[in-house]
Amino acid sequence: MTPSPVAALIGGGMAGVHAAEALRRDGFGGRILLFSAEQHLPYDRPPLSKALLRGELTREDCLLRPPEWYEDQGIEVSLGVSVDALDPDRCTLQLNTGEHVEFDRALLATGARPRWPLGLRPGRGPVFALRTVDDALAIRSRLRSGASVVVVGGGFVGAELASSAASLGCRVTMLEAAAAPFQRVLGKTVGELFGTFYATGGIRLITGVQVTGTSVGPEGARLTVADGRFWDADVVVVGVGAVPNTELAVAAGLRVSDGVEVDAYCRTSAPHVFAAGDVANRPDPVLGGRVRVEHWQNAQHQGTAAGRAMLGRREPFDEVPWFWSDQFGLNLQVAGFPERSDRVVVRGRLDGDRFAAFYLAGSTLVAALGVGCAGEVHLSRRLIASRAHVDAQRLTDEHTDLRDALLASDVPTA
């Protein structure tokens, strides 16, 4: 009897679940093995810094799929099990349990882990990063009204956490190394605007500071910066970016740069091994080169694309990324690749609650940010995908339809 083919999915997050779903939906009849180092069934991460942290949702509310779904779909989930070694030539995995598993196709969906600044480490008293549901619940247990919270880093997760903590009555300080939050990704002008939003939301923002020393006790911590200033906190949350979990791929001899390199079909440098989600470094569909995207939507859709590719479907994944963030009563949406731009133009007033910022590389639209402008962001996403060249002056005119800002050589999208 010919054994059933095996698809091994390494990582229990969004990408792995959607790959499993695509495999079954598109007719894969073999075994699907999903290995997760965490002890919990796969869950949704966006609520961790928002509704779960505020106590509005439970851990079970955040599950990506109910427990019975895995059984109904014939997906064999191994919780608390990590893959210690991958042999792409022999198509085998070695698990931390000592077991060896053979596969026909494997997916690396190992995600990323928090980046830790010098002197700060997890598990030291009240110092946390927010990456897992256990992190969120541990932080939530300390967010009593009046507690002092210091957020190290002014990125999206840190900002969402700061907003949630402030809504619970905490006194929140944010320490940011750059001159403004989001400066590296969204630029200084937009970053300074968000600094104003933070102040309005009751957050004390300190920019241009780098934590150089930490004194940690069981009930609190003191953070010191280079000029000698210090802040005492009941809770410290570090949010200074993430590092892709590439160790397994490196040891297996796969091509790795900033993440595991894949082609347009989610395939790594080994023909039977694929990668998706935060760990995958894929071709940039707009400006060329390569890009690694750490967004919920990318993990979901690239996981689906990888599952289909594992079945031999030749459908390139060239989607323009999009994500959203709720903080301080504002809905922020971003599409594209802001870091690839060389200038920013704005439609609307930056001091209002509705505006859009457009990021250009030359005359090519490469990204858009909107506050209260979901329609503009979604149309911009289509223009970015079409490599549209735009008239920057007309982009800034609130009375001009975005499609009318295309240069004459471009064909407007429907």
Side-chain angles (χ1 to χ4, degrees):
M1 179 181 294
T2 303
S4 296
V6 174
L9 312 178
I10 306 168
M14 179 71 72
V17 168
H18 279 268
E21 185 176 56
L23 283 163
R24 278 290 183 253
R25 185 182 60 236
D26 287 10
F28 182 70
R31 296 179 67 195
I32 299 178
L33 312 179
L34 191 152
F35 301 103
S36 175
E38 291 193 57
Q39 295 288 349
H40 313 295
L41 285 172
Y43 53 85
D44 205 8
R45 294 189 189 276
L48 302 188
S49 58
K50 299 185 279 290
L52 181 70
L53 197 70
R54 296 191 297 266
E56 299 162 5
L57 295 177
T58 66
R59 188 203 314 264
E60 289 70 28
D61 293 329
C62 297
L63 293 177
L64 288 172
R65 299 289 185 274
E68 59 270 17
W69 179 84
Y70 299 92
E71 183 176 354
D72 292 343
Q73 297 295 314
I75 297 167
E76 304 172 44
V77 181
S78 297
L79 299 178
V81 175
S82 59
V83 176
D84 287 346
L86 162 67
D87 188 329
D89 297 320
R90 294 182 173 85
C91 290
T92 60
L93 305 177
Q94 180 180 325
L95 309 183
N96 64 339
T97 60
E99 182 183 358
H100 285 76
V101 175
E102 296 182 353
F103 65 84
D104 296 275
R105 296 286 186 273
L107 174 70
L108 286 168
T110 49
R113 63 186 181 276
R115 186 186 304 276
W116 286 90
L118 185 66
L120 285 173
R121 290 293 181 271
R124 297 187 60 196
V127 179
F128 303 90
L130 179 53
R131 186 74 187 180
T132 70
V133 68
D134 288 333
D135 295 334
L137 293 175
I139 295 168
R140 187 175 81 180
S141 70
R142 293 175 176 257
L143 294 184
R144 65 186 185 278
S145 180
S148 59
V149 178
V150 173
V151 178
V152 181
F156 288 102
V157 172
E160 291 172 354
L161 183 143
S163 176
S164 294
S167 74
L168 294 172
C170 298
R171 297 176 288 113
V172 184
T173 299
M174 181 179 290
L175 305 181
E176 168 58 47
F182 309 121
Q183 178 174 321
R184 183 182 63 84
V185 176
L186 301 180
K188 186 176 181 181
T189 300
V190 174
E192 288 176 343
L193 165 74
F194 280 95
T196 302
F197 288 153
Y198 296 169
T200 303
I203 308 301
R204 185 186 181 198
L205 174 65
I206 312 295
T207 60
V209 293
Q210 187 81 41
V211 175
T212 58
T214 311
S215 176
V216 177
E219 299 301 325
R222 171 169 290 185
L223 303 182
T224 306
V225 298
D227 62 9
R229 287 180 292 170
F230 61 86
W231 286 267
D232 291 327
D234 299 309
V235 185
V236 176
V237 183
V238 177
V240 294
V243 180
N245 293 321
T246 60
E247 291 79 4
L248 188 62
V250 170
L254 303 182
R255 188 175 299 120
V256 172
S257 51
D258 174 29
V260 181
E261 292 192 7
V262 297
D263 62 15
Y265 308 100
C266 305
R267 186 173 49 216
T268 72
S269 53
H272 303 298
V273 181
F274 299 74
D278 292 1
V279 77
N281 182 306
R282 65 180 176 97
D284 182 339
V286 178
L287 294 179
R290 307 192 66 83
V291 64
R292 186 175 64 84
V293 180
E294 295 178 3
H295 302 324
W296 176 93
Q297 166 263 347
N298 179 79
Q300 179 188 37
H301 293 180
Q302 193 177 26
T304 297
R308 293 173 65 84
M310 292 168 76
L311 291 171
R313 306 292 175 85
R314 297 287 292 176
E315 301 167 356
F317 180 74
D318 57 3
E319 188 171 271
V320 172
W322 165 84
F323 73 96
W324 58 273
S325 176
D326 283 334
Q327 46 187 278
F328 307 105
L330 299 173
N331 177 256
L332 161 72
Q333 299 195 22
V334 179
F337 309 90
E339 65 277 8
R340 300 298 185 96
S341 67
D342 53 40
R343 59 178 170 146
V344 183
V345 298
V346 176
R347 172 184 291 222
R349 294 177 50 185
L350 286 176
D351 58 355
D353 58 1
R354 177 182 170 82
F355 67 88
F358 301 98
Y359 294 76
L360 307 176
S363 63
T364 303
L365 182 65
V366 295
L369 172 148
V371 171
C373 293
E376 285 89 334
V377 173
H378 285 285
L379 176 56
S380 295
R381 190 176 175 210
R382 287 156 51 192
L383 298 177
I384 295 163
S386 68
R387 286 72 163 175
H389 293 264
V390 295
D391 181 334
Q393 186 172 354
R394 301 191 74 183
L395 275 181
T396 64
D397 183 354
E398 294 182 74
H399 302 292
T400 299
D401 188 295
L402 290 185
R403 287 164 290 200
D404 294 335
L406 293 170
L407 293 176
S409 60
D410 287 294
V411 178
T413 57

